[in-house]
Amino acid sequence: MAQVRVRFAPSPTGFLHVGGARTALFNWLFARRAGGKFVLRIEDTDRERSKPEFEEGIIRDLQWLGLDWDEGPSLGGPLGPYRQTERASLYRDQLKKLTSAGNAYYCFCTHKELEAERASAVEAGKSYRYSGKCRKLSPAESEEKRKSGLPFSVRLRVAEGATTFSDIIRGQVTVEHAEIDDFILVRSGGEPTYNFVVTIDDALMKISHVIRGDDHLSNTPKQILIYKALGLSLPLFAHIPLILGEDRTPLSKRHGASAVGEFKRQGYLPEALLNYLALLGWSLDGKTELFSKDDLIKKFSLDRVVKSAACFSYEKLQWLNGHYIREADEERVYQLCLEYLWDADAINEDFMREGGPALKRMIGTVKNSLKTISDVGDQITYFLGEVHSYDAEAFAKYLVPETIPILEKVVLVLEDTVAFSAMSLEEKFREVSKETGKKFAEFVHPMRLAITGRAASPNLFELIEILGKGRCLVRCLRFIQMIKAELSKGESVKTPAPPAE
RNA sequence: GACCCCAUCGUCUAGAGGCCUAGGACACCGGGUUUUCAUCCCGGCAACACGGGUUCAAAUCCCGUUGGGGUCGCCA
């Protein structure tokens, strides 16, 4: 069997979208699985919209996902170049073959004429197809017009009949040629069009399997027509379903993040996104959800790709991301959080001098509650700065005189403790609760509120250890003052001044 | 509009005629563990779009309807 060669062919006119990333992933997996080659080709024939920075961005995102390619721009390879704008001579050669064999012809219709044709077709309620006016030109007429300097495009001469192909995922697809007009191969400016170049590139790069988005299904017959006109052998096609938003419309910014770079910025791990993308449209057995890259390489196959479009679920991605964050080692999560907090201006050099060493431990305590790295900021505010506000519900609950002696006791215990470690602190408070006949929780909850401002936190004693005696005492003392002040305010409210008449 | 493609819980999916009173996962709701939260464990809710066939038997095959998506560019 011939070597498996697949390609991912993005156009550098924007960022790498998750749909594109999944297409790249499926191609990559297929190649790795088969021991074949994965080719990266840049489709930059749209000179207007193509930008080098988009190409760089796409490459960076692919690398971030860990999808490496065997041949591509800058890397090179035996069948390059791998940027379409650098392949002009190849297209010219193939075009010559088509025109000399009479499979393509010159078209001198102007935009205006075509626009008129299109307009009348629309008016008649029919779908537009090129009339084939210039197809009837004799070789002599055509030559004469060309010599006279008239601008011309080149069109494929599409014969009558139908094209049927067998898609690996869809099965047999048939399109009548009546549905296809003599489409343009080369624009009047001399630039080849997408359908033309993609076909030549795939053929010349010896691509064995074209795995791409469903949106190209309708283009496939056109491309097959070109392969045939050129006498090239056909690759196998596999059209994977599109990714939609939660409302079943095409996924876009409107739905939330849709570019790979955005997911990265929001604190998703590449292995989580990759795992999720693999599950969108593919499954192993309907039961296994967690896949490492190596698992995927071992298990992936195109015949388990579904036919129907899938809705992107941010919730499920988050679940996977949380799973991989929990699984990741602490150092890595710390580094990612650090980077995030720094970029978000939540920490600076001053902070790092003071609180830097404890930050790592702090992040360790919240690690298994993070769904994304960007959650970290919210979860450790009481560590990053002072406590300015308190959970309203909890505050109301502890806004009672009974809280005061409890916290005063807490202060005493904290002041008293020499070995300021989570373990000994907890032991101490267990003892105190026994001595005082109060429940352990009766100390813990108000203490947590005073120290973190929250009703929920990671292991409180660990936090106390990390925050240090001084800060905890200050916060408890201040909380006591606040309770007292609020309570006395309450009293004066109880005896309101007589209403003014 | 024409053509092409698709159709199982809210979402991702398993299911290739009897194994299906339709399985798993996310989300959601209960319960347990925990100082609270998160994690973890246990349980629950919830679907074969509709209508016709074919068959002893259909989520699975055929036809139609409806719904969704794609394409119809001198964009890719």
Side-chain angles (χ1 to χ4, degrees):
Chain A
M1 183 180 161
Q3 198 198 30
V4 163
R5 291 178 57 82
V6 296
R7 45 63 162 192
F8 177 57
S11 59
T13 54
F15 304 112
L16 181 63
H17 187 266
V18 285
R22 191 191 53 169
T23 301
L25 172 64
F26 283 13
N27 273 284
W28 183 84
L29 289 172
F30 186 74
R32 292 291 170 261
R33 171 87 218 254
K37 299 287 186 211
F38 178 53
V39 177
L40 177 66
R41 182 174 74 220
I42 301 296
E43 308 214 318
D44 54 353
T45 51
D46 184 349
R47 305 246 190 189
E48 296 278 300
R49 294 192 300 147
S50 292
K51 298 263 184 320
E53 53 267 38
F54 286 135
E55 181 181 324
E56 286 157 25
I58 290 167
I59 284 176
R60 202 178 37 238
D61 290 339
L62 287 172
Q63 285 169 339
W64 179 69
L65 286 168
L67 305 179
D68 56 337
W69 49 99
D70 306 297
E71 298 169 26
S74 76
L75 208 180
L79 299 170
Y82 294 91
R83 223 177 257 116
Q84 289 183 327
T85 47
E86 296 165 12
R87 297 172 63 80
S89 66
L90 266 12
Y91 307 138
R92 261 196 302 276
D93 294 347
Q94 298 300 321
L95 181 70
K96 222 166 276 166
K97 285 192 204 167
L98 284 177
T99 48
S100 59
N103 288 323
Y105 62 88
Y106 300 110
C107 172
F108 302 92
C109 294
T110 62
H111 284 89
K112 229 176 226 163
E113 290 173 274
L114 295 176
E115 220 27 75
E117 276 190 15
R118 194 187 318 274
S120 67
V122 169
E123 208 169 314
K126 286 195 282 199
S127 68
Y128 170 69
R129 237 151 256 135
Y130 175 58
S131 63
K133 201 198 286 177
C134 295
R135 158 186 228 172
K136 296 164 200 122
L137 256 34
S138 71
E141 284 173 305
S142 181
E143 199 51 32
E144 192 181 319
K145 279 179 184 258
R146 216 149 62 94
K147 285 219 177 95
S148 75
L150 277 176
F152 61 90
S153 58
V154 185
R155 291 180 182 270
L156 186 75
R157 191 184 297 273
V158 178
E160 281 179 20
T163 291
T164 296
F165 66 99
S166 178
D167 188 277
I168 294 173
I169 294 163
R170 305 294 157 149
Q172 293 241 311
V173 178
T174 300
V175 174
E176 300 290 331
H177 291 179
E179 300 298 330
I180 303 172
D181 65 357
D182 289 350
F183 59 95
I184 290 181
L185 265 14
V186 178
R187 303 180 182 111
S188 47
E191 298 277 322
T193 60
Y194 169 76
N195 278 123
F196 186 48
V197 298
V198 80
T199 304
I200 291 173
D201 289 341
D202 286 339
L204 264 34
M205 289 181 179
K206 298 195 181 347
I207 299 302
S208 61
H209 297 72
V210 171
I211 305 168
R212 70 210 329 183
D214 216 353
D215 47 337
H216 291 288
L217 192 63
S218 305
N219 279 324
T220 307
K222 290 186 182 179
Q223 292 164 14
I224 289 175
L225 253 15
I226 299 174
Y227 278 101
K228 290 199 170 149
L230 247 15
L232 298 165
S233 62
L234 288 168
L236 262 20
F237 292 96
H239 287 93
I240 61 182
L242 261 23
I243 297 176
L244 307 176
E246 267 136 351
D247 55 358
R248 304 213 79 95
T249 62
L251 186 69
S252 69
K253 293 121 256 142
R254 197 163 42 76
H255 296 100
S258 59
V260 169
E262 244 173 299
F263 286 97
K264 182 186 175 196
R265 236 170 294 124
Q266 289 182 10
Y268 288 89
L269 265 31
E271 60 267 44
L273 187 57
L274 213 64
N275 191 153
Y276 180 67
L277 255 19
L279 253 21
L280 261 192
W282 174 84
S283 73
L284 177 67
D285 51 12
K287 295 197 197 314
T288 319
E289 306 277 335
L290 266 20
F291 292 95
S292 70
K293 243 192 320 183
D294 287 341
D295 289 337
L296 288 171
I297 291 172
K298 275 185 217 129
K299 312 279 175 62
F300 182 79
S301 72
L302 285 175
D303 45 85
R304 293 208 52 92
V305 173
V306 299
K307 294 178 180 180
S308 50
C311 296
F312 194 95
S313 163
Y314 292 93
E315 277 173 348
K316 188 149 184 179
L317 206 213
Q318 280 199 354
W319 167 71
L320 274 168
N321 203 52
H323 166 83
Y324 283 108
I325 289 176
R326 267 171 257 132
E327 221 178 45
D329 67 61
E330 239 170 80
E331 178 63 26
R332 178 175 171 217
V333 175
Y334 168 62
Q335 290 300 337
L336 289 169
C337 288
L338 197 62
E339 203 177 310
Y340 175 81
L341 291 169
W342 198 273
D343 288 345
D345 279 326
I347 55 174
N348 54 29
E349 275 152 33
D350 288 344
F351 177 90
M352 288 309 285
R353 247 193 311 277
E354 304 278 319
L359 181 60
K360 190 166 179 178
R361 295 194 57 201
M362 190 60 223
I363 288 171
T365 67
V366 295
K367 182 177 167 238
N368 76 350
S369 67
L370 298 178
K371 293 242 186 297
T372 63
I373 293 296
S374 58
D375 287 344
V376 73
D378 277 343
Q379 295 204 11
I380 63 171
T381 49
Y382 50 84
F383 173 78
L384 296 174
E386 276 314 310
V387 174
H388 295 296
S389 63
Y390 298 89
D391 178 278
E393 205 177 314
F395 189 80
K397 184 172 172 192
Y398 291 104
L399 188 59
V400 289
E402 295 72 42
T403 305
I404 295 165
I406 286 181
L407 281 176
E408 280 171 346
K409 181 70 184 168
V410 166
V411 168
L412 283 179
V413 173
L414 290 180
E415 274 176 337
D416 244 25
T417 306
V418 185
F420 212 72
S421 76
M423 217 197 277
S424 59
L425 281 163
E426 177 166 353
E427 248 169 62
K428 201 95 170 233
F429 277 99
R430 296 238 180 238
E431 269 169 41
V432 170
S433 88
K434 235 179 253 167
E435 285 164 20
T436 56
K438 289 187 189 303
K439 277 192 233 151
F440 182 58
E442 289 181 77
F443 288 98
V444 170
H445 294 301
M447 204 183 342
R448 168 179 291 115
L449 187 62
I451 291 171
T452 69
R454 306 194 173 192
S457 77
N459 185 311
L460 181 63
F461 299 102
E462 218 170 304
L463 290 185
I464 294 175
E465 184 189 329
I466 295 169
L467 285 164
K469 192 190 259 190
R471 271 207 274 183
C472 293
L473 280 173
V474 168
R475 289 182 187 183
C476 287
L477 257 10
R478 209 181 45 204
F479 192 76
I480 293 169
Q481 289 310 315
M482 197 176 308
I483 296 274
K484 283 182 178 166
E486 285 295 315
L487 286 174
S488 65
K489 217 192 281 172
E491 235 136 73
S492 61
V493 170
K494 267 181 212 156
T495 53
E501 293 292 326

